[in-house]
Amino acid sequence: MLIDLAPAPVRPRLALPHVVAAVAFAGYAAWSLQRLRTFDASGFDLGIFEQAVRSYAHGHWPVSDLLGPGAPTLGDHFHPILALLAPFYLLWPSPACLLVAQAFLFALSAIPVTRCASRVLGARRGAVVAAGYVLSWGLLSAVNFDFHEVCFAVPMVAFAAEHLLRERWRAAVWCAVPLVLVKEDLPLTLAAVGVVLVLKGQRRLGWVVAGFGVATSVLLVTVVLPALNPAGVYAHSGGLNPFGGAIVKVSMLLALVVPTAFTALRSPVLLLAVPTLLWRLASANDRYWGMGYHYSAVLMPIVFLAAADGVRRSGRQWLFPACALLAGLASLGLQAAHLTDGVWTPSQRAGIDAVLARIPDDATVLASNRLAPRLTSRCTVLFFDGASEERPEWVAVAKPEQSWPTTLATKGLALDELKSTGYLRVAETDSVVLLHRG
């Protein structure tokens, strides 16, 4: 038995998990919309996902022109679950729709975490753990970096782990099965659910689930994604470097378990984190190694629910809540430092919006990274990186430009070339220049 949640020392208040989720939703949504308002959201990745959802909403195969003209997004990552957002996007055709949906899904995962923590520790300590969870660095880092398909996986994993703790084996499987529609690596997390089932004596069900998860992930990476990718390859193989960045990797691993006072290490539920950690630590892409971006969001419910199991085994019921809260407050402070008024003043932002409003609906635009989300809901938007050979009717370039992914010099030369090859300057402020092909 993983954990006996039925004879809880204090019965959790019925409303507590839902109150925590509601507060988390409000905070995540406000944070995300503030970033969108101040141009901190970006074409990579919010614009890419909005273009995919917009395609679904209009009954088309999902493409993102920011990835390349007509690029199929299912050839980049396998995330057909994004189609679920299409009806909501039809009602609210805006990048804000995706950000609010992500806030809801992240907040939803707080319900099983709060429920389990309260059953083990009582309502007060459970509420402290819940606060630590909603402020955990993996979730706040994801909120602070646009929208990603992994937001669907976070509540799936949370409810699956809760059912494992309650020994509701089939319910755990049903919560985890949709992971195969979220991203190509997540079927391996489903396989890990199967491994836990085997360890708990559910061998037949466990081996079937584990085998299905592994086979699905292999099929997606080796057959489906290369078939859908115009280059005929899996776009994110990237090579291996399991021994690089040791300090960064160890720091990330410690950051996962320290907020749980290491109690998560005492639970088999922590095995659900192994597939995600393995591919990240083995990859040659150093962005996967650390604590930034959205890569650790799916790990947060795993470590917190594993800790809810482990704390009963350790008997240190006060240490986990204290560590979780302190780590959450530290995470809030670090992430809030990035929540600023952006590069431009309010008057400059208003000027940018006025300039972009001159671009007609359904036009094709070559746009800077920070400007793209202002246009993706109504235009075909291509990515201005200084290297593209595309020459659409409109070009909107931010001032100052971002050096990523090419140099500022490269982008400056590209802009000068556009001006000298038939593009006329329609409008220009100290924050944006708008060109139109004459």
Side-chain angles (χ1 to χ4, degrees):
M1 191 174 191
L2 289 179
I3 183 169
D4 185 3
L5 295 178
V10 178
R11 189 178 183 86
R13 296 173 185 173
L14 180 62
L16 178 60
H18 301 88
V19 169
V20 170
V23 172
F25 169 66
Y28 294 156
W31 189 306
S32 298
L33 294 176
Q34 166 69 3
R35 294 187 71 254
L36 180 63
R37 185 182 68 84
T38 58
F39 288 85
D40 278 340
S42 58
F44 275 69
D45 292 321
L46 177 58
I48 290 172
F49 284 105
E50 185 187 1
Q51 288 179 330
V53 173
R54 187 185 182 201
S55 298
Y56 281 123
H58 290 89
H60 303 310
W61 184 258
V63 299
S64 173
D65 294 294
L66 285 164
L67 289 173
T73 57
L74 290 178
D76 183 51
H77 285 300
F78 189 77
H79 41 49
I81 200 165
L82 291 176
L84 293 179
L85 296 178
F88 303 99
Y89 188 81
L90 284 173
L91 296 173
W92 187 14
S94 164
C97 177
L98 277 67
L99 295 174
V100 170
Q102 176 173 261
F104 173 80
L105 291 166
F106 282 165
L108 185 63
S109 71
I111 292 177
V113 172
T114 306
R115 196 155 50 202
C116 286
S118 297
R119 287 182 180 274
V120 173
L121 300 168
R124 291 185 179 180
R125 289 177 177 172
V128 173
V129 170
Y133 173 73
V134 299
L135 297 177
S136 60
W137 60 267
L139 293 181
L140 291 189
S141 181
V143 169
N144 215 20
F145 184 54
D146 290 357
F147 171 93
H148 298 88
E149 73 279 86
V150 74
C151 64
F152 284 95
V154 175
M156 292 178 192
V157 169
F159 282 102
E162 181 190 26
H163 287 307
L164 287 175
L165 294 177
R166 302 293 299 275
E167 296 190 347
R168 297 170 177 169
W169 311 126
R170 294 187 181 277
V173 173
W174 284 117
C175 286
V177 163
L179 290 171
V180 303
L181 302 176
V182 179
K183 195 163 169 277
E184 62 275 8
D185 63 284
L186 287 168
L188 295 178
T189 301
L190 172 61
V193 171
V195 171
V196 174
L197 291 173
V198 171
L199 293 176
K200 302 314 296 180
Q202 305 298 308
R203 291 180 176 83
R204 179 178 298 178
L205 178 61
W207 285 122
V208 169
V209 171
F212 175 75
V214 171
T216 301
S217 193
V218 170
L219 180 67
L220 290 175
V221 170
T222 62
V223 178
V224 176
L225 285 165
L228 297 175
N229 189 293
V233 298
Y234 175 49
H236 299 278
S237 53
L240 300 176
N241 185 14
F243 304 109
I247 294 178
V248 176
K249 292 175 180 178
V250 170
S251 299
M252 185 267 291
L253 292 174
L254 287 174
L256 284 174
V257 293
V258 166
T260 73
F262 296 97
T263 54
L265 296 172
R266 305 174 74 94
S267 173
V269 168
L270 194 60
L271 291 173
L272 302 188
V274 170
T276 296
L277 290 173
L278 282 180
W279 72 256
R280 288 178 59 189
L281 298 177
S283 173
N285 188 339
D286 58 3
R287 290 189 177 188
Y288 298 157
W289 303 344
M291 298 169 61
Y293 308 105
H294 57 286
Y295 301 115
S296 296
V298 74
L299 301 177
M300 294 298 106
I302 297 172
V303 296
F304 272 78
L305 285 162
D309 181 26
V311 73
R312 180 190 63 85
R313 301 168 185 265
S314 68
R316 299 177 181 178
Q317 295 196 348
W318 61 271
L319 193 57
F320 170 34
C323 288
L325 182 59
L326 289 175
L329 292 174
S331 169
L332 177 62
L334 291 172
Q335 293 297 330
H338 299 289
L339 190 63
T340 65
D341 286 334
V343 177
W344 299 295
T345 65
S347 62
Q348 287 174 318
R349 293 196 295 267
I352 294 173
D353 283 331
V355 169
L356 296 182
R358 301 183 66 169
I359 302 173
D361 291 351
D362 300 319
T364 300
V365 189
L366 194 64
S368 295
N369 191 37
R370 285 193 292 253
L371 304 182
R374 285 294 205 272
L375 298 165
T376 42
S377 63
R378 63 184 185 88
C379 296
T380 298
V381 183
L382 306 170
F383 184 42
F384 176 76
D385 61 0
S388 173
E389 297 181 357
E390 299 297 320
R391 295 293 183 267
E393 185 178 3
W394 295 87
V395 178
V397 179
K399 295 164 49 181
E401 246 298 349
Q402 293 175 305
S403 58
W404 178 88
T406 56
T407 66
L408 293 175
T410 298
K411 294 185 176 184
L413 289 173
L415 186 58
D416 290 339
E417 181 185 356
L418 289 169
K419 292 177 181 178
S420 66
T421 56
Y423 280 87
L424 302 177
R425 184 166 50 197
V426 174
E428 184 170 6
T429 71
D430 58 351
S431 306
V432 64
V433 57
L434 179 64
L435 305 179
H436 181 257
R437 190 177 61 213

